[in-house]
Amino acid sequence: MLFARRRQFFKRVGLRCLQVCLLFFILILVVLPLVFRYSVTLQRGILFLTFITYPKGLDLTNPAGIGLYATRNFYITVKENDEDEDGVRIGVWHVLPRNAVRRFKRELQVEEAFDQDITLDERRDDDYEQELRLLAPAIKSEFPSIVPENEQLFYERLLRMPGGTVVIYLHGNTATRGSGHRSEVYKLLRNLNYHVLSFDYRGYADSDPVSPTEEGVVRDAMMVYEYIANVTSNPVIIWGHSLGTGVATHMCARLAHLKERSPRGVILESPFTNIRDEIRLHPFSRIFKHLPWFDFAISRPMYSNRLRFESDIHVHEFPQPIMIIHAEDDVVVPFHLGYQLYRIALDSRSRAWGPVEFHRFDRSKRYGHKYLCRAPELPGLIQHFVENYRKAVY
């Protein structure tokens, strides 16, 4: 009798577990993909991940709080069209090059921060250094102290000085322009004596809370580029990381199509070929990618809703030189996607265009998806690429 009751009990428990597992299967592997297929909002949310913010409590109006002294925070308004009166406001940082900070550290009131920075200060005698040497006395007399009222004039004055190089940094999804690994890139570029412009796309950080789209974030990047082009004739390098590589190639293709002034070179860090390939290989897709309805419910809807980021197409739509860097142990954007993009670029671009180079970083170094900026050989690679092409026009 007792044995029969136990067997009946375990049969009920087993049936209940089976029902729960079946319900879980239906919800996660059937219902969720179908909801994803018909929800543009969910598709954008999963792609851009604007709800993931870190570090918490970061004051983006005060870049010095994360060690970025001599950095201006400001905002640019992106007009959707000529009739748009309000536009979308995006937050931008302008990080001054180290040699400029050295010349004006007293006026910028960053003497203590600069002197405590143990970074090797390489005093390269390039064109920008020579201009700084010639013009510093006049600029110091014009700007005895940098205060909010004259900050914009001062930063743009240094941006206009001949001989400089500007890098526009296009970050990936999640977080803000102030995230730790991004600030490490800015510091690296600053120490190579480049101006750095970094910004948050719409929907991120302190930029207007507008739902991002591929068209929208590319427009944001175009507006930052237009701002720089209107201020200075110095060469501009585009640096994209992860999702930002898709923004970078799309923006450069559009500039070429419009026959606008174009950047001198493009650096793609941890790039992918297109969103369809990236989604299938992303860690979040592991439980979905083998489902027979994966393309129907996930890949195709995103393409239909113009969330594509097709770098494999855009790389042969602009002529500028390209440098691709990728770590072999990258699990977010698999290494072979970056290498595949490199091969596509080699095969599809005109031989008269700027060259394409690829640099792999051994998995034993454990740079992963975010920390190629810590590779000791990277500054030399960047400097070589920039110096080779900053005066070249394709």
Side-chain angles (χ1 to χ4, degrees):
M1 185 72 173
L2 182 61
F3 177 76
R5 287 179 178 176
R6 285 181 176 176
R7 188 171 65 176
Q8 189 173 12
F9 171 77
F10 285 119
K11 183 183 290 186
R12 288 176 180 174
V13 171
L15 180 61
R16 186 67 54 83
C17 288
L18 181 62
Q19 291 172 336
V20 170
C21 289
L22 183 61
L23 179 62
F24 178 82
F25 172 83
I26 293 173
L27 285 175
I28 300 299
L29 301 181
V30 179
V31 175
L32 184 58
L34 286 176
V35 171
F36 186 88
R37 172 178 171 77
Y38 295 106
S39 173
V40 180
T41 301
L42 183 58
Q43 292 168 24
R44 293 175 181 173
I46 295 296
L47 175 59
F48 293 103
L49 299 176
T50 55
F51 55 88
I52 299 179
T53 57
Y54 60 89
K56 298 293 184 181
L58 177 63
D59 181 6
L60 291 167
T61 65
N62 180 33
I66 59 169
L68 283 172
Y69 54 83
T71 297
R72 174 189 172 216
N73 177 75
F74 65 105
Y75 299 89
I76 290 176
T77 299
V78 182
K79 299 288 188 179
E80 300 296 314
N81 51 60
D82 294 337
E83 290 74 34
D84 187 1
E85 295 183 1
D86 298 324
V88 178
R89 194 183 77 150
I90 58 172
V92 187
W93 281 353
H94 175 186
V95 185
L96 289 180
R98 185 171 173 82
N99 55 0
V101 180
R102 186 179 66 248
R103 293 277 180 182
F104 299 101
K105 61 182 179 180
R106 185 180 65 81
E107 291 74 18
L108 286 162
Q109 302 167 55
V110 295
E111 293 169 283
E112 183 177 353
F114 183 86
D115 293 339
Q116 288 178 354
D117 189 342
I118 60 174
T119 305
L120 179 63
D121 189 4
E122 296 183 9
R123 304 196 179 197
R124 294 185 296 133
D125 193 24
D126 56 14
D127 294 342
Y128 194 65
E129 182 66 31
Q130 293 175 29
E131 290 291 334
L132 283 169
R133 190 182 305 126
L134 290 172
L135 297 176
I139 296 176
K140 287 181 178 183
S141 64
E142 185 179 351
F143 298 94
S145 179
I146 311 305
V147 293
E149 290 72 22
N150 65 9
E151 183 183 57
Q152 178 180 346
L153 291 173
F154 175 78
Y155 275 73
E156 291 183 352
R157 175 69 176 275
L158 295 186
L159 202 57
R160 281 196 301 272
M161 286 179 54
T165 300
V166 184
V167 178
I168 300 179
Y169 182 84
L170 307 175
H171 70 63
N173 61 3
T174 76
T176 72
R177 62 189 182 277
S179 298
H181 64 285
R182 292 167 188 159
S183 64
E184 288 187 46
V185 176
Y186 313 153
K187 292 172 184 177
L188 183 159
L189 295 170
R190 151 178 279 172
N191 291 327
L192 291 174
N193 293 325
Y194 305 144
H195 290 266
V196 184
L197 275 291
S198 178
F199 66 96
D200 279 303
Y201 315 107
R202 61 189 64 201
Y204 288 86
D206 57 347
S207 296
D208 281 350
V210 176
S211 180
T213 62
E214 178 172 357
E215 178 67 26
V217 298
V218 171
R219 187 179 291 117
D220 296 341
M222 293 276 287
M223 188 58 65
V224 174
Y225 182 82
E226 183 178 324
Y227 161 77
I228 295 169
N230 287 335
V231 172
T232 182
S233 59
N234 283 326
V236 177
I237 303 293
I238 305 298
W239 182 310
H241 172 240
S242 193
L243 187 69
T245 62
V247 181
T249 58
H250 192 157
M251 179 184 76
C252 290
R254 181 166 298 178
L255 287 170
H257 176 73
L258 295 173
K259 294 181 169 41
E260 298 284 349
R261 172 189 162 193
S262 296
R264 296 298 170 84
V266 182
I267 298 175
L268 303 177
E269 178 188 1
S270 306
F272 52 87
T273 48
N274 57 65
I275 280 298
R276 179 176 294 177
D277 293 343
E278 166 57 13
I279 285 179
R280 181 172 290 279
L281 295 171
H282 196 280
F284 290 165
S285 299
R286 285 176 182 169
I287 63 173
F288 299 105
K289 65 182 180 181
H290 297 300
L291 297 175
W293 53 83
F294 180 85
D295 283 334
F296 170 79
I298 296 177
S299 296
R300 291 184 208 162
M302 295 188 73
Y303 262 58
S304 298
N305 291 316
R306 304 192 65 80
L307 300 172
R308 303 176 180 180
F309 292 103
E310 296 171 299
S311 291
D312 51 349
I313 293 176
H314 296 315
V315 290
H316 57 80
E317 295 180 330
F318 63 89
Q320 284 70 39
I322 300 172
M323 180 171 80
I324 298 176
I325 56 176
H326 213 138
E328 291 180 336
D329 62 328
D330 190 335
V331 296
V332 177
V333 179
F335 171 82
H336 81 267
L337 284 185
Y339 187 73
Q340 184 179 346
L341 182 64
Y342 166 65
R343 297 301 312 179
I344 290 170
L346 283 182
D347 295 339
S348 62
R349 288 164 58 90
S350 167
R351 295 186 182 277
W353 288 4
V356 183
E357 54 188 77
F358 183 88
H359 301 279
R360 71 173 67 212
F361 294 79
D362 193 87
R363 66 178 61 254
S364 64
K365 304 298 183 181
R366 298 186 178 180
Y367 296 131
H369 185 61
K370 297 180 179 179
Y371 297 107
L372 281 178
C373 54
R374 298 178 181 177
E377 66 269 37
L378 185 59
L381 292 174
I382 297 168
Q383 194 171 0
H384 185 264
F385 179 78
V386 171
E387 292 306 313
N388 274 353
Y389 304 116
R390 66 183 302 277
K391 295 182 180 179
V393 178
Y394 289 92

